[in-house]
Amino acid sequence: MTSVTQRIAQYNKQVGQPRGGLLPPKLFSLELRGDDLGVVDHKQENLHASVVGTMVDVLTRLAHVRPPADEVAHAEALIDVFGVSLAGAMRISELTEYTSAQSDARDALRHLNFIELSDGTVQFVIDDTAVMIACQLVSYDVALRAGVGLYDPANSRLLPDLTTTTHVLQMVERARSFFETHGPITRDGFVFADRDKWDTGDLGGYTDLVTSGDGDFLTTDTLWDFKVSASKPTKDHTLQVLMYFLMGKQSGLPEFESLTHIGLFNPRRGEVYRMAVANISAVVIETVRRDVIGYEDRTSGDEPLTPYDFDPEAVGFDRASGEFLWGNGD
């Protein structure tokens, strides 16, 4: 299985991008978000920057979902947000000695706070409790993204300190403000294939060179990638979001039809980078399509894993009973 980011690393090693990158970051327009926080200092945090970034991502998604106020819809919304974590926890329980991971993940979800709104929907509360729960849940992601052998149970017990919690909440608030300006969100946690057609051999936007990868957020005309980094965008970041755009268009899925722009949002720096794809050189587009993604060479190879787009049954949820069917016999 080769993800988008892994394919970029391969391409950089085998071929190499030109000076400045295939899509230089300087070509993007820059918007500074108006608050007084400046760059949120990752050096003061007690968790790895990648963990903090994933927490900001999932909590931003959680803040925007509005499921109906019934148990099944409530659970399905959580599965949409935490699908990678739940599937990772299931894999850990099935394949390692840490058999409680899946029931621990389920129990963590039960402690999320929410309020019922007057329109009959549910809004999840993004507070200190949500940050702690997200921290535990994203520790299971590695089992699905990289393999169960890399799972460390100590990471599931590591809690964010006060500074880290404050920083995460500040960045989620920045994301909320960002989507008030650039939203609404039309899709989040998306993949580049129709799961119903996957078993028939229709890979959508995936190829033999890129067999997995999932994006962050779509708005009406822009595909957005979140980068919770202390640094400015790199040539790999801009190549990644362009690959996502081209894979979305190749997929034939309706959610990608109206897209005309690509963008990067960094809630740590409070910066927005955006560009119209029509302004990108046709040579660059063709190079990325052919040489990086591999659309002209769709030869058969090892069957890729299903992309990370989870229906409830995929992580053990039974719609009829409204219960998760996984755990240690309970």
Side-chain angles (χ1 to χ4, degrees):
M1 182 174 67
T2 305
S3 68
V4 169
T5 54
Q6 289 170 335
R7 175 56 190 152
I8 292 172
Q10 289 177 353
Y11 183 82
N12 288 342
K13 183 177 180 179
Q14 296 166 356
V15 180
Q17 297 185 56
R19 184 177 179 84
L22 284 165
L23 184 58
K26 67 182 181 180
L27 298 180
F28 285 66
S29 65
L30 170 62
E31 173 193 341
L32 299 178
R33 301 299 297 172
D35 61 36
D36 299 326
L37 293 177
V39 178
V40 180
D41 189 0
H42 70 286
K43 295 179 181 179
Q44 299 179 14
E45 297 162 4
N46 73 321
L47 300 176
H48 192 276
S50 64
V51 175
V52 172
T54 305
M55 290 164 60
V56 172
D57 177 34
V58 296
L59 290 174
T60 297
R61 297 181 190 184
L62 188 67
H64 283 85
V65 296
R66 293 289 186 276
D70 67 76
E71 291 185 5
V72 173
H74 184 131
E76 289 180 342
L78 293 177
I79 291 166
D80 285 342
V81 174
F82 293 105
V84 172
S85 302
L86 293 170
M90 178 178 286
R91 183 169 292 184
I92 291 165
S93 288
E94 291 175 345
L95 301 177
T96 77
E97 62 186 287
Y98 308 112
T99 56
S100 68
Q102 52 188 359
S103 57
D104 291 344
R106 176 197 59 193
D107 291 340
L109 290 177
R110 290 173 174 165
H111 289 89
L112 285 170
N113 296 315
F114 63 92
I115 56 176
E116 294 189 12
L117 304 179
S118 58
D119 63 358
T121 62
V122 166
Q123 178 180 2
F124 293 96
V125 178
I126 309 303
D127 55 8
D128 293 8
T129 298
V131 174
M132 288 188 292
I133 291 171
C135 182
Q136 176 186 344
L137 290 171
V138 302
S139 71
Y140 304 126
D141 288 19
V142 65
L144 194 68
R145 297 191 184 276
V148 294
L150 295 178
Y151 171 68
D152 182 353
N155 292 333
S156 298
R157 298 189 292 269
L158 184 61
L159 297 178
D161 60 16
L162 177 60
T163 297
T164 305
T165 298
T166 299
H167 285 185
V168 169
L169 292 175
Q170 287 173 337
M171 288 187 279
V172 173
E173 175 58 24
R174 268 184 171 171
R176 185 200 61 77
S177 174
F178 164 77
F179 282 117
E180 284 187 352
T181 303
H182 292 278
I185 297 171
T186 59
R187 185 72 189 270
D188 61 34
F190 53 86
V191 294
F192 308 101
D194 185 336
R195 293 184 72 256
D196 293 335
K197 298 180 180 179
W198 190 261
D199 291 338
T200 68
D202 184 348
L203 302 184
Y206 298 98
T207 69
D208 291 333
L209 292 180
V210 183
T211 60
S212 70
D214 53 302
D216 290 337
F217 296 93
L218 301 178
T219 54
T220 302
D221 63 357
T222 305
L223 187 151
W224 296 98
D225 195 42
F226 269 33
K227 296 298 182 189
V228 186
S229 170
S231 303
K232 290 182 176 295
T234 69
K235 60 185 179 183
D236 289 353
H237 296 157
T238 56
L239 176 56
Q240 179 182 359
V241 73
L242 177 57
M243 290 175 67
Y244 285 163
F245 181 93
L246 296 174
M247 292 169 68
K249 292 294 188 179
Q250 184 74 21
S251 73
L253 295 173
E255 56 261 41
F256 298 102
E257 290 179 359
S258 65
L259 299 183
T260 56
H261 289 67
I262 52 177
L264 299 164
F265 172 55
N266 188 330
R268 187 178 288 283
R269 295 183 63 87
E271 295 175 347
V272 180
Y273 296 82
R274 188 168 178 265
M275 183 178 187
V277 175
N279 292 335
I280 301 173
S281 161
V283 173
V284 170
I285 295 291
E286 182 59 23
T287 298
V288 175
R289 283 181 54 83
R290 181 190 63 232
D291 299 339
V292 183
I293 305 176
Y295 283 132
E296 290 190 356
D297 184 15
R298 295 291 294 270
T299 57
S300 61
D302 292 337
E303 183 179 352
L305 296 179
T306 302
Y308 303 146
D309 189 10
F310 300 100
D311 59 20
E313 286 79 5
V315 289
F317 180 75
D318 179 58
R319 288 187 177 93
S321 66
E323 295 289 338
F324 283 102
L325 300 181
W326 34 285
N328 295 323
D330 58 348

